[in-house]
Amino acid sequence: MAMSPAATRAAMPARWQDYLQLMKPRVMSLVVFTAITGLICANAPINPILGAIAVFCIAVGAGASASLNMWFDADIDGMMRRTRGRPVPAGRVQAADALALGVVLSLFSVMLLGMTVNWLAAGLLAFTIFFYAVVYTMWLKRSTPQNIVIGGLAGALPPVIGWAAATGAVPLNAWLLCAIIFMWTPAHFWALSLYTSEDYAKAGVPMMPVTAGPASTRKQILIYSLLFVPICLLPVLTGLGGAIYLAVAALGGLVFLVLAWRVFKSRAGEAPDERQDDGLYDVKAGSKDARNLFAFSILYLTLLFATLLAEHLLGLPAMGAVL
């Protein structure tokens, strides 16, 4: 008798691609990018091999966090269109294997970073893994609509870890990089949640559009955007960013605010069945403003960090520190 598709998947051994997917490579790439930016912007001499090890450990730590997240969230991931194809809910990887991978990679990355680079960076990496896997995934995500706001700290710490790896210290500018990502997170994820709210409601995840409604979410996106854009200009005042960064931050920030205003004035999240398919960008007309802000937010953050990275690699002069 022929086996069912689910039974066939369970009978097949997991592929290496499935384990790679457990580590959320797209998210890992952003973590690595911001960590490298922190390491380079520290302007401190570091052995290239040790620098590469530091970046490798941060990447592995991010993968460990993601694997632990997929292990714990397998139940709700299976209920949402955006995540139901992930390895654990799809049956390609056993939950116990995802847990084991996350634990092993966590210990490996933290210990290797501490023994080869410095223990401050290792401690920050350990805290980041714990915060994402335990504080955010196991507690905040299922208990409060502020899950993204508070939990955003985990995604904001990689540049601080990179800076600490290079210098053994975490000065103001390192935390400023952290603050930029931290304040970017709410508008970015709430824009996405406006047109994925049905998934979150079905899974019982208290995202802001589910608990407070779309109108309140759109208002909070605008408020956080108004707070976020000025913070992006602060590196010019602290000597971290130069003239090119100022232009990118100011012009990009203006576009960001225009898109946030359009979301605020729209009816994004109001109509049922906003999603047309499983993609992140193919939405109905009512949610296009939220989709546009979500997409531009990724581009804007990337441009900010790429500009800082380029300025420091090329040795371009900063605008001058006044703070």
Side-chain angles (χ1 to χ4, degrees):
M1 186 173 65
M3 298 175 65
S4 68
T8 301
R9 287 196 301 268
M12 295 175 59
R15 305 170 302 162
W16 67 266
Q17 292 95 332
D18 296 322
Y19 288 103
L20 178 62
Q21 191 179 351
L22 277 178
M23 296 187 285
K24 297 184 181 179
R26 285 190 297 181
V27 175
M28 185 192 295
S29 64
L30 180 61
V31 167
V32 168
F33 175 59
T34 58
I36 291 175
T37 302
L39 189 147
I40 297 299
C41 287
N43 293 331
I46 182 172
N47 184 289
I49 296 177
L50 293 181
I53 291 174
V55 173
F56 171 74
C57 289
I58 294 169
V60 173
S65 301
S67 186
L68 293 171
N69 170 269
M70 287 205 190
W71 157 70
F72 191 80
D73 277 352
D75 56 338
I76 60 176
D77 281 350
M79 302 179 192
M80 299 193 292
R81 284 177 291 185
R82 186 170 64 89
T83 57
R84 62 190 176 190
R86 288 176 172 174
V88 178
R92 300 193 304 273
V93 174
Q94 297 299 310
D97 292 339
L99 172 61
L101 180 67
V103 171
V104 170
L105 292 183
S106 297
L107 295 174
F108 170 77
S109 60
V110 171
M111 294 304 296
L112 180 61
L113 186 59
M115 290 187 295
T116 57
V117 182
N118 64 66
W119 288 104
L120 174 60
L124 287 167
L125 179 60
F127 174 79
T128 303
I129 295 171
F130 173 82
F131 196 88
Y132 183 76
V134 177
V135 178
Y136 169 69
T137 299
M138 299 183 185
W139 175 34
L140 295 173
K141 185 174 183 177
R142 305 184 188 219
S143 63
T144 171
Q146 297 298 319
N147 47 21
I148 287 300
V149 179
I150 305 170
L153 179 62
L157 282 172
V160 181
I161 303 172
W163 201 300
T167 67
V170 283
L172 172 64
N173 277 332
W175 291 110
L176 183 52
L177 293 176
C178 176
I180 289 172
I181 302 174
F182 183 80
M183 292 302 296
W184 165 86
T185 303
H188 169 72
F189 275 103
W190 283 338
L192 170 65
S193 69
L194 279 173
Y195 61 92
T196 57
S197 58
E198 288 186 10
D199 269 356
Y200 289 116
K202 186 188 304 182
V205 178
M207 291 296 287
M208 190 62 67
V210 177
T211 60
S216 177
T217 303
R218 295 192 299 266
K219 178 180 178 181
Q220 293 193 57
I221 285 175
L222 179 61
I223 292 172
Y224 271 94
S225 298
L226 290 170
L227 295 173
F228 164 63
V229 171
I231 290 176
C232 294
L233 300 174
L234 290 180
V236 178
L237 303 179
T238 64
L240 181 61
I244 299 175
Y245 177 83
L246 174 60
V248 171
L251 293 176
L254 180 60
V255 175
F256 196 101
L257 290 177
V258 169
L259 293 176
W261 175 257
R262 293 182 63 176
V263 171
F264 174 67
K265 299 297 290 183
S266 75
R267 294 184 59 81
E270 299 286 352
D273 194 23
E274 290 288 338
R275 300 287 299 284
Q276 288 185 345
D277 63 8
D278 294 342
L280 293 181
Y281 301 105
D282 187 13
V283 299
K284 292 184 178 179
S287 288
K288 284 187 176 179
D289 288 319
R291 185 273 314 273
N292 292 342
L293 177 60
F294 171 74
F296 182 77
S297 67
I298 299 173
L299 175 63
Y300 184 48
L301 185 70
T302 302
L303 289 175
L304 290 177
F305 277 75
T307 304
L308 286 174
L309 185 61
E311 286 184 336
H312 284 262
L313 284 173
L314 297 174
L316 299 179
M319 295 292 289
V322 297
L323 292 182

